[in-house]
Amino acid sequence: MGNYLIKLRDVEVRYNNRNGGLVAITGINLTVSPGEVVGIVGRSGCGKTTLLKVIAGLVKPTRGEVIYNGSQDGGGFRGIGMLFQSPLLLPWRTVLRNILLPIELRGEDLDKYVGRALELMERMGLKGFEDSYPWELSGGMQQRVALCRALIHRPSLLLLDEPFGSLDAITREEMWVLLQGAISYENYTTILVTHDIREAVLLSDRVIVMGGRPGRIKAEIPIPFRRPRSLELQYSREFNDYIAEIRGLLGD
Ligand SMILES: Nc1ncnc2c1ncn2[C@@H]1O[C@H](COP(=O)(O)OP(=O)(O)OP(=O)(O)O)[C@@H](O)[C@H]1O
Ligand SMILES: [Mg+2]
């Protein structure tokens, strides 16, 4: 029932290691609606990456289930785009050929996607760098290339794992603007894991606070500001009240 894109029901992930097993996350219930941007914050080791991996299907839940529902826009579930902390570009491929990699791996016709790749590059401020190599670009530019690659096949769900953690503060703000633009332009459903509470509040419709060992969802804070949001919102009283509330929840 209900209009959702993905639903996690009582999900637990246990890793088996030399000392027996480690339960990384437990009792996770989460429903994400189409077009929603969900931020996830929590201390190091509380299972945020594990949660993204289980949503991406890279790790199987040892309890509970993950349900994908791709029917609300008439099509099926069109897969997932992922962006990690480091851009993970292939150094021997040009920028354009890095962006087209997911299409190549799917065995689809590359020519059909060149126009889309160039359009994404233009929107990300990368016009003219098609034939450059990743090592000729700055860190922020490389991360923008990785974002184009994550979006090239119009995924149903965009998963971001601390995508801007290695960038300086100003470049990170520029990425917030570009990411918001990309998300609103094609209405991406997005899950954003971040250490940066400011980033979570500025970009998300809802912030999930995780904590404990094993990791659980401790709180969910709706962030009702209309999207897209301007960078100036960070200086408002209301915005900073959300920051303080979430900071408090992470503290105990
Ligand atoms: N492949 C694995 N095998 C065994 N244990 C793992 C594995 N991956 C993660 N863990 C453990 O599971 C717990 C959660 O790890 P996870 O990487 O999900 O945390 P995180 O919240 O993403 O941390 P960070 O903020 O540092 O990225 C940790 O205790 C970690 O050591
Ligand atoms: Mg992590």
Side-chain angles (χ1 to χ4, degrees):
M1 277 291 288
N3 186 20
Y4 67 90
L5 184 75
I6 185 162
K7 190 191 285 268
L8 280 74
R9 215 180 264 153
D10 196 24
V11 165
E12 176 180 292
V13 173
R14 167 190 286 271
Y15 291 114
N16 290 314
N17 56 26
R18 283 174 298 278
N19 318 322
L22 177 138
V23 179
I25 52 176
T26 193
I28 304 283
N29 288 293
L30 177 65
T31 302
V32 180
S33 306
E36 203 181 5
V37 179
V38 176
I40 299 182
V41 296
R43 290 188 167 190
S44 185
C46 74
K48 304 180 296 299
T49 296
T50 301
L51 180 58
L52 279 196
K53 283 183 177 166
V54 91
I55 290 171
L58 298 170
V59 164
K60 280 218 171 342
T62 40
R63 215 175 108 179
E65 56 181 344
V66 180
I67 308 157
Y68 304 89
N69 181 7
S71 59
Q72 66 284 328
D73 62 356
F77 192 82
R78 289 184 316 277
I80 284 170
M82 265 193 106
L83 185 61
F84 304 91
Q85 184 168 359
S86 60
L88 305 173
L89 302 173
L90 301 176
W92 59 87
R93 281 180 168 246
T94 63
V95 164
L96 182 63
R97 296 206 53 226
N98 265 285
I99 294 172
L100 290 171
L101 184 67
I103 305 303
E104 207 172 315
L105 293 175
R106 288 160 169 245
E108 290 185 49
D109 185 359
L110 286 185
D111 290 343
K112 280 199 203 146
Y113 284 88
V114 171
R116 171 161 175 78
L118 295 175
E119 189 204 322
L120 280 170
M121 285 185 68
E122 181 160 6
R123 292 218 318 272
M124 296 292 164
L126 292 167
K127 195 178 161 137
F129 289 92
E130 303 79 60
D131 299 324
S132 300
Y133 286 88
W135 38 269
E136 297 176 294
L137 308 181
S138 72
M141 290 168 83
Q142 290 182 26
Q143 201 56 323
R144 282 182 266 154
V145 173
L147 184 57
C148 293
R149 182 183 57 188
L151 296 177
I152 186 73
H153 60 294
R154 293 192 170 81
S156 294
L157 183 61
L158 181 60
L159 301 179
L160 311 170
D161 195 356
E162 303 194 28
F164 312 133
S166 62
L167 304 177
D168 67 82
I170 301 292
T171 308
R172 191 177 311 163
E173 289 196 340
E174 286 168 7
M175 289 299 294
W176 292 347
V177 173
L178 287 168
L179 177 65
Q180 274 204 108
I183 288 175
S184 356
Y185 186 70
E186 290 177 329
N187 201 26
Y188 281 109
T189 310
T190 307
I191 303 181
L192 166 71
V193 164
T194 176
H195 274 133
D196 184 343
I197 305 176
R198 218 158 252 289
E199 178 171 291
V201 174
L202 189 71
L203 298 176
S204 312
D205 297 314
R206 174 161 57 118
V207 175
I208 309 273
V209 181
M210 287 181 70
R213 277 181 186 250
R216 301 169 178 275
I217 293 178
K218 286 167 70 178
E220 288 194 28
I221 318 288
I223 312 290
F225 306 115
R226 269 186 57 189
R227 284 196 281 123
R229 299 163 184 166
S230 73
L231 292 174
E232 284 69 45
L233 182 64
Q234 293 176 81
Y235 310 112
S236 74
R237 167 78 194 271
E238 235 183 320
F239 185 91
N240 284 283
D241 286 346
Y242 285 114
I243 302 284
E245 182 181 359
I246 293 167
R247 185 69 195 80
L249 288 162
L250 286 170
D252 46 55

